């Protein structure tokens, strides 16, 4: 479930907020950026903006290309093939987190039973990760990696969260740790 008026907003922003942010960001990914406000295929960005954009996407392409979905089969994610979804995931979670932060200002939310030790901001991340929770049969994983434009769910979470300083801050991940690498990629 992505949304319910009967649950804390950290779950709604980490669910439907993330998905909405993801879809909005597609308008500015490697394909969406090529269309103007009327939907016409037209280069409308200033050349300097396009050049900076390409540098930022290269960082993300390298990052995701370093993930190995199946070590035994040596099945590596193709960061170029998944770049549009990776940009959308990274931008979407950032938009949703910032929106949640604005909503949360000077408010508190109830904790979930059994998860009292997690703050609302931490629960945002937990719910955002939960939407990509999945288990694949080996042949399905291979098919996803070789033909899909989305990386497997695990890497949609890891790759996106590694790039978010807010995630590292909320979970107190030391700089240089797996989930808080010194080099982060950011397109938007």
């Amino acid at each position: 479930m992505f949304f319910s008026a009967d649950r804390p907003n950290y779950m709604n922003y980490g669910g439907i907020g993330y998905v909405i942010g993801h879809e909005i960001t597609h308008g500015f990914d490697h394909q969406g950026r090529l269309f103007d406000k009327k939907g016409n295929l037209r280069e409308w960005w200033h050349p300097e903006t396009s050049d900076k954009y390409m540098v930022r996407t290269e960082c993300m392409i390298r990052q995701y290309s370093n993930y190995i979905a199946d070590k035994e089969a040596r099945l590596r994610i193709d960061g170029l093939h998944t770049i549009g979804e990776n940009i959308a995931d990274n931008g979407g979670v950032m938009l949703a987190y910032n929106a949640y932060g604005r909503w949360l200002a000077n408010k508190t939310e109830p904790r979930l039973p059994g998860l009292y030790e997690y703050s609302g901001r931490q629960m945002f991340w937990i719910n955002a990760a939960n939407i990509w929770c999945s288990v694949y049969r080996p042949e399905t994983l291979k098919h996803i990696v070789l033909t899909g434009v989305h990386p497997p769910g695990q890497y949609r979470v890891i790759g996106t969260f590694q790039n978010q300083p807010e995630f590292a801050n909320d979970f107190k991940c030391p700089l240089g740790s797996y989930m808080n690498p010194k080099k982060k990629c950011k397109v938007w």
Side-chain angles (χ1 to χ4, degrees):
M1 180 183 328
F2 289 98
F3 176 84
S4 173
D6 298 327
R7 64 185 192 172
N9 270 330
Y10 49 74
M11 296 183 76
N12 291 327
Y13 280 91
I16 195 64
Y18 183 5
V19 172
I20 291 169
H22 171 102
E23 297 305 329
I24 290 170
T25 305
H26 271 307
F28 303 93
D29 67 11
H30 70 300
Q31 293 179 345
R33 74 179 196 89
L34 300 175
F35 295 88
D36 67 17
K37 66 183 179 182
K38 294 182 179 180
N40 297 313
L41 182 60
R42 180 174 72 85
E43 183 64 47
W44 58 280
W45 284 8
H46 188 277
E48 183 180 331
T49 303
S50 291
D51 292 345
K52 287 180 180 179
Y53 174 86
M54 295 308 293
V55 168
R56 289 180 177 203
T57 60
E58 282 298 321
C59 177
M60 207 168 276
I61 289 167
R62 281 191 304 277
Q63 175 193 7
Y64 282 82
S65 292
N66 280 318
Y67 297 132
I68 300 173
D70 184 335
K71 289 179 180 35
E72 285 181 29
R74 295 185 184 149
L75 196 55
R76 184 178 296 275
I77 294 170
D78 182 343
L80 180 60
H81 193 66
T82 61
I83 189 62
E85 297 302 324
N86 302 337
I87 291 169
D89 283 345
N90 279 262
V93 81
M94 179 196 64
L95 289 170
Y97 185 84
N98 289 340
Y100 176 63
R102 284 191 299 278
W103 177 87
L104 185 62
N106 302 315
K107 294 182 182 95
T108 58
E109 289 195 275
R111 305 286 174 103
L112 294 179
L115 299 172
Y116 295 114
E117 70 270 21
Y118 297 107
S119 71
R121 290 183 183 273
Q122 289 173 318
M123 288 301 299
F124 167 91
W125 296 108
I126 291 168
N127 198 62
N130 189 58
I131 65 174
W132 305 127
C133 186
S134 51
V135 176
Y136 305 106
R137 294 186 333 246
E139 58 273 11
T140 302
L141 179 61
K142 183 176 182 179
H143 179 74
I144 288 169
V145 171
L146 294 178
T147 65
V149 295
H150 298 87
Q154 171 184 357
Y155 297 100
R156 294 186 79 170
V157 174
I158 292 170
T160 301
F161 290 12
Q162 283 179 333
N163 290 327
Q164 309 303 318
E166 298 83 0
F167 172 84
N169 183 59
D170 291 343
F171 280 97
K172 298 177 180 33
C173 303
L175 185 61
S177 64
Y178 185 69
M179 290 307 294
N180 188 12
K182 290 179 182 176
K183 178 152 177 64
K184 293 175 177 42
C185 300
K186 183 176 176 122
V187 174
W188 298 117

